[in-house]
Amino acid sequence: MSQAEKVLATDAALELIERLRAKHGDLMFHQSGGCCDGSSPMCYPLGEFLIGEQDVLLGEIGGCPFYMGKAQYEYWKHTQLIIDVVSGRGGMFSLEGPEGVRFLTRSRVFPDSE
């Protein structure tokens, strides 16, 4: 039985990550808990968002670390996050905002076999 990845990205998300990396350098993600920008995955220049003891590293997408707050992770730990891209305005603090698209988190519950 293999351990499934906690976070994945669609091809569209990976393409957007590469575009943003070309403009902004190395990147990082933090899954928003629902405050100012809803519950969207937020993309920042690497190191711009301060990670603390209450953040969990879920994995990487497109070579970028992806974090979530520990309290929120307790609700989501049985799910796989699939980061996608859709048309529309993203969060005002996330780098993709001016691109006319936004990152979106889809999810699926892990079956017992994973």
Side-chain angles (χ1 to χ4, degrees):
M1 176 179 357
S2 65
Q3 182 72 17
E5 293 180 72
K6 298 234 180 241
V7 62
L8 302 173
T10 64
D11 289 343
L14 293 172
E15 289 172 14
L16 179 56
I17 289 168
E18 284 307 310
R19 283 198 330 255
L20 294 173
R21 183 181 284 128
K23 290 181 181 180
H24 303 283
D26 290 336
L27 306 172
M28 64 182 292
F29 286 84
H30 193 278
Q31 176 66 42
S32 172
C35 178
C36 302
D37 287 310
S39 56
S40 299
M42 305 294 287
C43 180
Y44 303 100
L46 185 63
E48 185 174 296
F49 185 88
L50 296 179
I51 298 301
E53 291 179 16
Q54 295 301 310
D55 291 302
V56 176
L57 176 63
L58 298 183
E60 291 188 352
I61 56 172
C64 306
F66 193 102
Y67 296 89
M68 175 184 279
K70 187 175 184 179
Q72 185 179 8
Y73 175 72
E74 287 303 311
Y75 291 106
W76 290 71
K77 66 184 174 186
H78 302 294
T79 63
Q80 181 176 57
L81 304 183
I82 302 142
I83 308 307
D84 201 0
V85 174
V86 295
S87 296
R89 294 285 303 176
M92 65 180 158
F93 301 117
S94 193
L95 290 176
E96 82 278 7
E99 303 292 318
V101 294
R102 64 185 181 94
F103 289 108
L104 175 78
T105 301
R106 301 180 193 282
S107 64
R108 74 172 184 92
V109 175
F110 286 122
D112 291 338
S113 63
E114 292 182 298

